[in-house]
Amino acid sequence: MPHMIIGVLKLILASLILGAAMNLLGLSAERILAGFGMSPADLWLLLQRCVVWALPNIGLGAAVILPLWLLTYLFLPPRSGYDE
């Protein structure tokens, strides 16, 4: 668990340093999106469309994968190496 916390803190620090450097160069999220011909509202709509598309597909895949995983898990032989 402590390794995960340290990893998250490193990620936050790297993001802060990169964000400060980009700010010094005059870059912002709006300017980067404008370079792609998008606005923040356009990006939000695109993310919403992606979620609306992905959630039913994840559910459909899980309806097949989870029972297969459960059957495989139930019929696997017991692991050796457990000393009781």
Side-chain angles (χ1 to χ4, degrees):
M1 186 69 167
H3 293 293
M4 187 173 78
I5 293 171
I6 292 172
V8 168
L9 290 175
K10 287 180 181 179
L11 181 63
I12 291 170
L13 180 63
S15 298
L16 177 66
I17 291 170
L18 181 61
M22 291 174 67
N23 188 23
L24 286 173
L25 295 173
L27 294 173
S28 67
E30 290 83 10
R31 289 186 68 183
I32 293 171
L33 285 173
F36 290 105
M38 297 179 70
S39 69
D42 294 335
L43 180 63
W44 182 249
L45 289 174
L46 180 64
L47 288 173
Q48 286 178 336
R49 286 180 48 208
C50 289
V51 169
V52 167
W53 172 84
L55 287 180
N57 289 312
I58 291 171
L60 184 61
V64 174
I65 296 297
L66 289 177
L68 289 175
W69 171 81
L70 181 62
L71 287 173
T72 303
Y73 183 77
L74 288 174
F75 292 111
L76 281 177
R79 294 182 181 177
S80 61
Y82 290 110
D83 295 329
E84 294 183 19

